[in-house]
Amino acid sequence: MDLRRLNIAKSAAIYHLLFPFPSITRSLACVTTTFQPNNNNQPTPPPNHNLLKESVTSLLSHHTLDSNKCKQLMPRLSPHTFDTAFLAVRSHVNAKTALNFFHYASNSCCFNFTCNSICVLIHLLLVANVQQSARLLMIRLIDAKLPVLNTDKFKTRHIEVAMALAKLKMVIEPVSMVNLIDMFIHVCCSQFKNFGSGFVVDAFLVLAERAIFPSVGTCNYVLTSLVKAKELHKCYKVFDIMSKGVSPDVRMFTTVVSAYCKGGRIDDAILLISKMETLGVAPNVYTYNNIIDGLFKNGRIGEASQFKDKMVNKGIRPNQYTYSILIKGFINLEKFDEDKILKDMLGKGLVPNVEIYNTLMSGYCKLGKTSEALRVKDSMIANGPSPNSITFNSLILGFCKRGLVEQAEDGLDEMISGGLSINLDTYNSVIHLLCENCRIESALRFTKQMLLSNMKPDDKLLTTLVSKLCKSAKHKEATELWFSLFDKGFAANIVTSNALLHGLCKAGEMEDAVRVVKEMKGLILDTFTYNALILGFCKEGKVDKGFKLKEEMIKKGLKPDTCTYNLLMKGYCNGSKIDKAVELFDERKKAGLVNIHTYGIMIDGCGKSDDIVQAENLFNELVAKKEKLNAVIYNTLIRAYTKNGNMTSAFRLCNDMKTKNIQPTPATYSSLIHGLCNLGLVEDARNLLDRVRNEGLLLNVVCYTALIGGYCKVGQMDKARSVLQEMISYNIRPNKITYTVIIHGYCVLGNKEEATKLKQEMENEGIAPDVVTYNVLTNGYSNLEEAFHVTDQMIKNEVYPDEITYTSLINKWQEQPTCASKKE
């Protein structure tokens, strides 16, 4: 048993804690080298107990350990004979010398002491006021770091120690016994709490069964630990047993009153208070605070008020926490009279502190009364206490609950600038509110602030934010956020990562999508991941890569779903490979793995390929199968008809929708308007738009842009501008396509000034021109120098030229007169 290894192996610091005194008068090397165990198979003669006691007393009663006496004594000792002798002569033993002897015997002679002997040594160390060494020795005895005779099981060592301590009850004076038990219980409770509350409870029960109890203070320590660990039933049981051996004081009673209230046993808590008073133990303010809080939480408002009055009548002065409980309780039950409670506080000489004000504000915010909460905040500032983090967190959560976006954002900004601590719930609530209200830039800003504070946003919230960023064409910002999470060690989960991939692939940002996939370490790619990538490659016309991904899915044990095949079919259709799309469609149809969306893709593909007959056949097939058709399917065929100029069939199908109670959508009418305009029937398109709007259908930017495009095609730019102003008056915001269509109209007419002016107007409205807009302008300028000027502006605004841009510039360069032609 190496008593020096009570905390860290070979630690000089611990050694000096256990042995802060001269060890032995002579070197023990001679003893170590001359002592030999009895290996000659001769039985050890029975010991003379009186002589052994004298020898042990002689050895251990001095201030130093005599090596010669150690050498003579050790061959005569066995663990049990020493145990008997040590207990008998304990009153004559020097505790520090005994500790040195235990160290020598275990290390130099491989001697195993009994658990009883070590407990006696711990008792002697406590009596000698060598408490730190006693405590360390107890810890190592319980955690089985000391080799003890016939016991190696850590799981039961604390039970064995408890039983060994119980044996000392008859030979140790009561005060010393209580101190020894107190230390044992404290060690079990504090040093071994990772093993659960049952560890200390088991040890306590062993002692209680033998009518051995710790002090009242230690009893309360055990009960408090059980309440903190939410082991309420164990707390009740232990208290009942404790009450048979000790007289509970007000702290013990209050702890159990708190436990009963936390466990919803309010009536038991009330009975316990009555028992306290019967036993002559007067409840204090903390007792009353616990019972009042418990009654409020159980909706027993009348009894809570009665206990508050009772405490006052008994001369117990409520404290600020009492009033905090009252405020919270009354607010939660919506029976709150702020003026009455604050007046009562002031009458008791209590000034509301920051906790009281925070309780008021938190309560009002939970009730959705944010104006009242703000009034309390103003009163708080006026009366002295400075608002703290809790103040702002409560207010901001209240703003979020009411959907007050501006106030929530301003409040969070104020907290950040003031360096206040912001909790995770506050950040998540504000960011969620901002996302709901399309305040994506602010949401992203606060998310970055969270990451700077080493806080990870909620996974669901991250998915929402990434999706919103992608839908707002902020793919770069979404990608940067994803990598920021990765760099911070908060790697996004598969759902968030898939949301980003879908956004990137849908926008054709395949380079970034591939980069993200390469960094998705530790994440298992699922069907949604592969479908997103297939979508991206098919949009680029790389259907073959899509098929390779499908094969990779199968190899990884993933089953391609209907969406996978639909994407591949759409890829073929968009790439004008309708035959291959039909082949794949027929294959899936035979397997019974097509849905209405599959039919929609094929009808659209046939329409784009001018195969109206096949599109109609597919539509009729759905009708024959009695599939429940929707507006999307109708709109797809209507779009095919209008593309081919078959307006009669298009309008017939629109009327068919109405007869089947399928409401035409803005997409329906945008196709019809576009088709009429393509035939030069712009006024008919105008009349259709007016009729539909008068019927109460909210048209969208696509419908108006289609009509504007019709007027531009026939050169009626005034009417085009008039429709633009009309849509704005109906709160329909033009987009970059709307502006680009009008700019193109002016360029065709050679009106470069109006085209340039409209481009400026577009930018003033916060709509950034894209490569198509710049290409329209570049093509509209006949002068090469002016065209290059547009291109310079384009690059300056980080919009990069494409193949059409360069083709247009080359054509203009070739059209310039040569030097020879100039001379002629």
Side-chain angles (χ1 to χ4, degrees):
M1 173 177 65
D2 188 353
L3 298 182
R4 292 174 300 180
R5 297 171 63 92
L6 292 183
N7 194 3
I8 303 173
K10 299 181 181 178
S11 168
I14 297 299
Y15 181 85
H16 288 301
L17 282 173
L18 292 176
F19 310 110
F21 38 82
S23 54
I24 52 178
T25 55
R26 295 170 56 195
S27 169
L28 293 179
C30 58
V31 180
T32 305
T33 54
T34 58
F35 173 73
Q36 297 293 332
N38 183 15
N39 293 325
N40 57 9
N41 296 322
Q42 296 294 326
T44 303
N48 183 322
H49 290 292
N50 289 331
L51 183 60
L52 188 61
K53 289 177 188 177
E54 290 175 7
S55 300
V56 171
T57 303
S58 174
L59 177 65
L60 302 182
S61 60
H62 296 287
H63 289 290
T64 54
L65 189 64
D66 190 313
S67 59
N68 285 329
K69 289 182 179 179
C70 284
K71 173 184 175 182
Q72 295 166 7
L73 180 62
M74 287 309 299
R76 299 161 51 199
L77 290 182
S78 72
H80 292 295
T81 56
F82 177 79
D83 186 47
T84 304
F86 189 49
L87 182 62
V89 304
R90 69 191 181 283
S91 59
H92 305 292
V93 170
N94 181 291
K96 296 178 182 180
T97 305
L99 184 60
N100 258 344
F101 172 72
F102 272 62
H103 160 61
Y104 160 70
S106 60
N107 279 2
S108 300
C109 304
C110 300
F111 189 88
N112 285 350
F113 292 95
T114 66
C115 184
N116 291 347
S117 296
I118 297 173
C119 287
V120 172
L121 175 60
I122 291 170
H123 159 64
L124 294 176
L125 291 168
L126 280 177
V127 172
N129 204 30
V130 191
Q131 294 182 6
Q132 204 165 5
S133 296
R135 182 179 176 83
L136 288 168
L137 191 58
M138 178 67 83
I139 292 169
R140 290 304 177 246
L141 174 61
I142 295 171
D143 69 9
K145 294 295 172 63
L146 301 181
V148 176
L149 186 69
N150 296 330
T151 176
D152 292 315
K153 295 181 179 179
F154 166 68
K155 290 183 180 179
T156 58
R157 178 66 72 85
H158 64 301
I159 302 298
E160 184 182 354
V161 174
M163 295 175 71
L165 293 173
K167 293 177 185 177
L168 300 179
K169 179 183 177 182
M170 304 303 296
V171 295
I172 294 179
E173 55 277 14
V175 173
S176 296
M177 186 66 186
V178 169
N179 290 337
L180 182 59
I181 297 303
D182 278 356
M183 190 196 72
F184 171 62
I185 294 296
H186 268 272
V187 165
C188 287
C189 205
S190 61
Q191 297 297 316
F192 299 95
K193 58 186 176 184
N194 290 340
F195 294 93
S197 57
F199 196 86
V200 67
V201 171
D202 290 344
F204 168 79
L205 292 176
V206 168
L207 295 169
E209 286 170 0
R210 292 157 177 77
I212 300 171
F213 295 91
S215 66
V216 174
T218 299
C219 286
N220 191 58
Y221 177 69
V222 173
L223 293 173
T224 302
S225 298
L226 291 172
V227 173
K228 286 181 179 177
K230 298 181 181 179
E231 296 282 4
L232 301 180
H233 291 290
K234 287 180 182 176
C235 177
Y236 309 147
K237 177 183 177 182
V238 169
F239 175 72
D240 288 341
I241 296 171
M242 284 178 175
S243 300
K244 297 172 184 176
V246 298
S247 298
D249 63 2
V250 66
R251 288 182 62 207
M252 274 184 69
F253 277 118
T254 299
T255 299
V256 182
V257 166
S258 171
Y260 279 136
C261 290
K262 289 178 188 294
R265 293 172 58 173
I266 305 300
D267 292 327
D268 288 328
I270 293 171
L271 287 173
L272 190 60
I273 290 175
S274 297
K275 183 179 178 181
M276 287 176 69
E277 294 171 327
T278 302
L279 294 173
V281 181
N284 60 19
V285 66
Y286 304 104
T287 318
Y288 281 107
N289 284 347
N290 276 293
I291 191 64
I292 292 169
D293 188 39
L295 287 165
F296 268 123
K297 286 176 179 175
N298 281 268
R300 295 162 68 168
I301 185 171
E303 291 171 273
S305 298
Q306 288 171 13
F307 267 100
K308 187 260 180 182
D309 294 338
K310 182 180 178 180
M311 72 184 287
V312 173
N313 293 335
K314 286 184 174 288
I316 299 172
R317 187 167 175 261
N319 58 19
Q320 288 175 320
Y321 186 62
T322 313
Y323 285 100
S324 179
I325 292 168
L326 290 170
I327 291 167
K328 191 182 297 181
F330 282 121
I331 285 180
N332 287 341
L333 297 171
E334 299 189 30
K335 297 180 180 294
F336 178 59
D337 186 341
E338 180 187 332
D339 292 334
K340 183 180 177 182
I341 290 183
L342 292 181
K343 186 177 179 181
D344 189 27
M345 273 191 78
L346 294 170
K348 299 289 189 302
L350 293 171
V351 178
N353 59 12
V354 68
E355 285 76 21
I356 294 292
Y357 282 113
N358 285 343
T359 303
L360 277 168
M361 279 183 281
S362 177
Y364 280 131
C365 286
K366 284 178 182 176
L367 295 175
K369 298 180 178 180
T370 49
S371 57
E372 291 296 309
L374 286 169
R375 179 185 56 75
V376 172
K377 179 194 171 191
D378 293 338
S379 175
M380 176 183 187
I381 294 170
N383 292 321
S386 298
N388 59 14
S389 295
I390 298 172
T391 313
F392 280 98
N393 281 316
S394 296
L395 275 172
I396 291 169
L397 289 173
F399 292 144
C400 292
K401 187 176 181 180
R402 289 284 310 280
L404 301 173
V405 185
E406 296 289 346
Q407 291 90 329
E409 184 175 352
D410 291 344
L412 194 52
D413 275 327
E414 191 173 346
M415 287 191 78
I416 292 169
S417 61
L420 295 174
S421 176
I422 305 168
N423 64 38
L424 191 62
D425 194 29
T426 301
Y427 264 125
N428 283 333
S429 297
V430 174
I431 294 169
H432 177 72
L433 181 65
L434 291 167
C435 285
E436 277 189 336
N437 287 272
C438 300
R439 303 278 284 269
I440 306 303
E441 289 182 2
S442 294
L444 180 60
R445 176 166 58 87
F446 287 134
T447 303
K448 289 179 178 178
Q449 187 65 43
M450 282 186 79
L451 295 177
L452 287 174
S453 302
N454 288 317
M455 298 170 74
K456 183 189 176 185
D458 175 71
D459 284 329
K460 188 176 179 182
L461 184 61
L462 279 171
T463 303
T464 302
L465 180 55
V466 166
S467 297
K468 293 274 187 182
L469 286 167
C470 290
K471 286 178 182 176
S472 302
K474 297 182 182 294
H475 301 95
K476 180 182 177 183
E477 290 84 347
T479 306
E480 286 175 353
L481 174 60
W482 190 89
F483 277 101
S484 295
L485 289 164
F486 187 83
D487 293 340
K488 273 284 182 181
F490 299 145
N493 65 16
I494 189 65
V495 180
T496 306
S497 301
N498 282 344
L500 175 60
L501 284 174
H502 183 264
L504 292 171
C505 292
K506 191 174 181 181
E509 302 283 350
M510 291 307 295
E511 189 176 331
D512 281 338
V514 171
R515 188 161 62 96
V516 168
V517 171
K518 286 180 179 177
E519 292 298 331
M520 286 172 67
K521 298 169 184 175
L523 294 178
I524 299 173
L525 306 189
D526 58 15
T527 303
F528 196 97
T529 317
Y530 278 99
N531 284 348
L533 292 169
I534 290 169
L535 166 66
F537 283 121
C538 287
K539 280 181 75 72
E540 286 190 339
K542 299 174 181 177
V543 185
D544 290 344
K545 279 196 173 183
F547 272 95
K548 284 181 181 177
L549 285 170
K550 185 204 74 167
E551 295 304 319
E552 186 179 310
M553 287 175 70
I554 296 169
K555 286 179 182 177
K556 290 189 175 181
L558 294 172
K559 187 177 180 181
D561 57 13
T562 304
C563 179
T564 313
Y565 288 101
N566 285 349
L567 290 168
L568 292 168
M569 283 180 224
K570 192 169 184 177
Y572 277 141
C573 290
N574 291 340
S576 300
K577 296 180 180 179
I578 191 66
D579 293 340
K580 288 192 174 182
V582 170
E583 186 181 329
L584 184 58
F585 173 78
D586 290 339
E587 177 191 319
R588 303 308 296 167
K589 189 166 72 169
K590 286 178 183 177
L593 298 172
V594 294
N595 56 20
I596 194 166
H597 185 59
T598 317
Y599 274 92
I601 290 168
M602 292 306 298
I603 291 169
D604 185 54
C606 291
K608 287 176 179 176
S609 300
D610 296 327
D611 191 351
I612 300 300
V613 175
Q614 182 62 22
E616 288 175 336
N617 289 339
L618 289 166
F619 181 87
N620 293 331
E621 195 175 309
L622 283 173
V623 174
K625 290 170 68 176
K626 295 183 179 180
E627 288 281 352
K628 188 176 180 180
L629 303 183
N630 55 32
V632 175
I633 291 294
Y634 273 99
N635 289 342
T636 304
L637 187 53
I638 287 170
R639 186 166 58 248
Y641 282 138
T642 59
K643 179 178 179 290
N644 284 269
N646 190 349
M647 297 306 299
T648 303
S649 295
F651 276 104
R652 177 183 52 77
L653 204 57
C654 180
N655 291 330
D656 188 48
M657 287 177 73
K658 294 176 183 178
T659 59
K660 292 181 179 174
N661 293 318
I662 300 171
Q663 182 64 40
T665 65
T668 314
Y669 290 112
S670 66
S671 292
L672 292 171
I673 292 168
H674 192 73
L676 290 169
C677 289
N678 282 344
L679 295 175
L681 304 172
V682 186
E683 291 306 322
D684 288 345
R686 168 86 245 192
N687 293 335
L688 176 62
L689 185 142
D690 289 340
R691 177 168 58 80
V692 172
R693 190 183 60 238
N694 292 335
E695 288 175 358
L697 182 67
L698 294 173
L699 298 174
N700 60 17
V701 64
V702 181
C703 297
Y704 278 97
T705 301
L707 182 57
I708 288 170
Y711 280 123
C712 289
K713 282 180 182 178
V714 296
Q716 297 180 1
M717 299 308 297
D718 290 342
K719 288 187 176 182
R721 291 298 292 261
S722 176
V723 175
L724 177 66
Q725 294 307 314
E726 180 185 317
M727 68 185 289
I728 293 171
S729 70
Y730 283 110
N731 292 319
I732 299 171
R733 191 166 183 257
N735 58 23
K736 64 179 65 179
I737 298 173
T738 314
Y739 280 107
T740 302
V741 166
I742 304 175
I743 291 170
H744 180 260
Y746 280 123
C747 287
V748 169
L749 295 174
N751 194 341
K752 296 178 289 185
E753 291 77 14
E754 282 298 323
T756 305
K757 183 179 175 183
L758 194 63
K759 181 235 177 198
Q760 187 61 51
E761 182 183 320
M762 176 184 183
E763 290 174 326
N764 292 341
E765 290 295 323
I767 302 172
D770 61 10
V771 66
V772 179
T773 313
Y774 281 110
N775 284 344
V776 166
L777 279 167
T778 303
N779 198 49
Y781 285 109
S782 56
N783 186 293
L784 182 62
E785 187 176 338
E786 290 176 333
F788 270 117
H789 177 69
V790 172
T791 309
D792 289 340
Q793 282 185 324
M794 181 181 182
I795 296 169
K796 184 180 179 181
N797 292 328
E798 296 185 354
V799 178
Y800 297 103
D802 61 8
E803 186 179 344
I804 295 173
T805 316
Y806 291 116
T807 301
S808 179
L809 290 171
I810 291 168
N811 288 339
K812 290 185 184 301
W813 177 74
Q814 290 176 339
E815 291 169 3
Q816 295 297 305
T818 62
C819 295
S821 63
K822 283 182 182 179
K823 287 179 181 179
E824 291 175 6

